[in-house]
Amino acid sequence: MSENSPDRPTWDEYWARVGSEDFLAAKNLLELSSIRNDAEQWLEWHQDKQFDDDGNPAGWSDPHPTLDWDAWVADYEETGRGWSSTEHRLFRIVAALVASDERPFPMRETLGYLGSWETEVWRVLVNWGTGGNNREYPGRSTVVPRH
């Protein structure tokens, strides 16, 4: 990294490079709550080793932002968080979308008790589940709030 690089990339710098529908759904869910601030602590600059055509080391790539999702999830499981029960439920959904292992969660106990975030969580998940990417194009269905 250069001496002028900030210690940690910004939230927007990281997400500008992400195209995965799963991760973009997780982003929208994180932005419903202050757990986003917790996830941001796992942003870091990363460089990849570069190799020439013969397979010899040839330097490093330019720095790019990453978020160590697996480390964030593992840290949550190891140390816990002082969040509300609803934030813990939201975390379970996000972790199921971003963790590299299969991460089931109890649907009724998680999706059924999201309080004031319920409609927005379902909008994000329906968009994701019906082929939308939560950025440029919507899914095949939309959630209409009840009046």
Side-chain angles (χ1 to χ4, degrees):
M1 288 349 110
S2 79
E3 291 179 24
N4 297 329
S5 294
D7 293 338
R8 180 175 293 140
T10 66
W11 188 250
D12 291 335
E13 285 174 320
Y14 171 73
W15 288 107
R17 298 173 52 97
V18 175
S20 163
E21 290 87 353
D22 299 349
F23 286 79
L24 290 170
K27 172 189 183 281
N28 283 303
L29 294 171
L30 284 167
E31 290 177 345
L32 295 175
S33 155
S34 63
I35 67 173
R36 167 196 163 163
N37 299 334
D38 193 82
E40 282 182 294
Q41 301 307 304
W42 298 89
L43 286 166
E44 60 189 13
W45 291 106
H46 182 76
Q47 290 181 288
D48 297 309
K49 248 186 180 176
Q50 302 288 303
F51 298 92
D52 64 20
D53 292 340
D54 296 324
N56 299 312
W60 295 89
S61 68
D62 290 335
H64 57 276
T66 62
L67 198 155
D68 192 342
W69 293 105
D70 290 332
W72 180 55
V73 169
D75 186 71
Y76 167 88
E77 291 175 347
E78 185 177 314
T79 62
R81 299 292 191 273
W83 296 336
S84 71
S85 58
T86 307
E87 288 171 316
H88 287 286
R89 290 181 189 103
L90 189 61
F91 173 85
R92 283 188 214 123
I93 299 167
V94 170
L97 288 166
V98 300
S100 63
D101 61 348
E102 290 191 22
R103 186 159 297 277
F105 61 86
M107 286 189 63
R108 186 183 67 222
E109 291 85 4
T110 304
L111 296 174
Y113 297 97
L114 291 168
S116 63
W117 299 328
E118 184 174 356
T119 300
E120 187 60 16
V121 168
W122 277 110
R123 185 197 63 74
V124 170
L125 292 177
V126 167
N127 191 34
W128 166 77
T130 59
N133 74 352
N134 285 293
R135 186 181 278 168
E136 294 100 9
Y137 52 92
R140 295 179 290 278
S141 300
T142 58
V143 175
V144 179
R146 289 185 285 180
H147 297 281

